[in-house]
Amino acid sequence: MRIRNVKNKEEILNQSKYLIKNPKDYIGKWHTIFNNHNPIYIEIGMGKGKFIIENAKMYPNINFIGIERQDSILAKCIKKIDEKIPNLIIIRMNALIIDEVFSKEIDRIYLNFSDPWPKKRHHFRRLTSNIFLDKYDKIFKETKEIYLRTDNQDLYTYSIETLSNHNYYLKNISLNLHKELLEEKLITTEYEDKFVKENKPIYSLVATSNQCLK
Ligand SMILES: C[S@@+](CC[C@H](N)C(=O)[O-])C[C@H]1O[C@@H](n2cnc3c(N)ncnc32)[C@H](O)[C@@H]1O
């Protein structure tokens, strides 16, 4: 995917109060940044941030952390934050180092429209590959919860397999989320809005380590 350059991105990132510049310093103590012990939900590959910004506004008693590796995209996200949101922060990093940044303190991970990496030799880069699932094991506090949405059927079936092999229970499986949840107001992502407009089905699931969780 070609990313449109944001000219003054460095300035936007440097001046942002939302961007944590030294994330490894907070390993094991992210609650100190928020000044509370509320649950922490992270979105990996948050893109321009619509989903996480709207969630943070809607759920002030949850702490949200958005993770993104592309500077221009991060700058676009930061420009979008139009009010003070005390329960939101943003980290610039490749999720490959996620277990150097968090330790047993995350309650939920959102993976929304993650890059599909269609070639087999690149599957290890998928955010639901065994490499990443092993890392997530180290960052979850207790119960593991991964919320996944994608338009990509191949990534979806691959993820069902890797998550199941990793002893996750799968629930809320949907092969056409937006058709099934006509009544419910969903918080959507930028990519999702585009795909829904194109009438593409959205595949979704929740993977959890707790069989009893509804
Ligand atoms: C297809 S976009 C989806 C963006 C957003 N979640 C949405 O649904 O609109 C995937 C995003 O994930 C980011 N990304 C992919 N792999 C990543 C990684 N390993 N670490 C951090 N960000 C990553 C990309 O830079 C890109 O912005």
Side-chain angles (χ1 to χ4, degrees):
M1 184 188 60
R2 215 174 65 83
I3 298 151
R4 200 169 299 151
N5 185 40
V6 174
K7 272 192 195 136
N8 56 342
K9 56 181 182 293
E10 282 307 327
E11 196 185 330
I12 293 170
L13 298 185
N14 284 335
Q15 285 176 3
S16 173
K17 289 190 213 110
Y18 291 95
L19 188 77
I20 303 298
K21 277 98 186 170
N22 46 347
K24 287 187 185 179
D25 290 356
Y26 292 94
I27 187 164
K29 47 188 179 191
W30 281 94
H31 65 93
T32 61
I33 285 232
F34 295 106
N35 235 345
N36 62 49
H37 284 273
N38 293 341
I40 301 180
Y41 293 179
I42 64 175
E43 184 185 11
I44 305 177
M46 62 162 189
K48 294 182 202 156
K50 173 177 180 279
F51 178 86
I52 200 150
I53 293 170
E54 287 184 18
N55 267 286
K57 287 181 184 172
M58 179 91 87
Y59 303 105
N61 294 328
I62 306 280
N63 298 319
F64 288 90
I65 302 180
I67 295 167
E68 174 55 57
R69 64 178 177 186
Q70 303 277 0
D71 287 357
S72 286
I73 300 176
L74 277 164
K76 283 184 189 169
C77 170
I78 287 164
K79 276 179 23 183
K80 223 182 233 171
I81 305 174
D82 54 359
E83 62 184 82
K84 197 162 178 264
I85 314 178
N87 58 327
L88 173 68
I89 60 165
I90 290 163
I91 302 177
R92 163 177 34 184
M93 71 174 187
N94 187 323
L96 264 180
I97 61 157
I98 200 158
D99 53 340
E100 296 171 39
V101 168
F102 302 111
S103 174
K104 299 202 176 309
E105 55 202 322
I106 300 305
D107 294 273
R108 181 179 295 178
I109 297 177
Y110 288 105
L111 300 177
N112 291 322
F113 302 87
S114 306
D115 292 340
W117 294 109
K119 291 187 181 138
K120 196 157 185 169
R121 68 173 188 279
H122 292 149
H123 281 188
F124 71 97
R125 294 183 187 162
R126 289 176 163 176
L127 293 178
T128 47
S129 74
N130 286 326
I131 294 174
F132 282 99
L133 295 184
D134 284 343
K135 289 176 188 285
Y136 303 157
D137 285 348
K138 297 182 198 161
I139 71 169
F140 277 119
K141 197 191 322 180
E142 287 157 9
T143 304
K144 302 190 264 180
E145 261 194 337
I146 298 179
Y147 278 59
L148 180 145
R149 280 185 215 170
T150 181
D151 63 306
N152 187 291
Q153 195 177 30
D154 182 47
L155 176 64
Y156 188 65
T157 50
Y158 169 93
S159 303
I160 287 179
E161 201 174 320
T162 54
L163 289 161
S164 305
N165 289 340
H166 220 84
N167 295 326
Y168 280 91
Y169 299 99
L170 304 183
K171 56 174 195 167
N172 297 2
I173 289 180
S174 174
L175 304 183
N176 198 338
L177 181 66
H178 287 257
K179 216 169 194 171
E180 285 171 23
L181 291 180
L182 284 178
E183 304 295 312
E184 213 171 298
K185 169 107 181 67
L186 275 182
I187 295 182
T188 55
T189 78
E190 281 89 354
Y191 269 67
E192 188 166 9
D193 290 344
K194 184 168 115 14
F195 294 136
V196 170
K197 242 185 220 161
E198 292 167 4
N199 268 324
K200 283 192 174 172
I202 304 300
Y203 304 94
S204 71
L205 60 79
V206 176
T208 171
S209 59
N210 185 344
Q211 195 175 11
C212 305
L213 271 188
K214 287 245 163 77

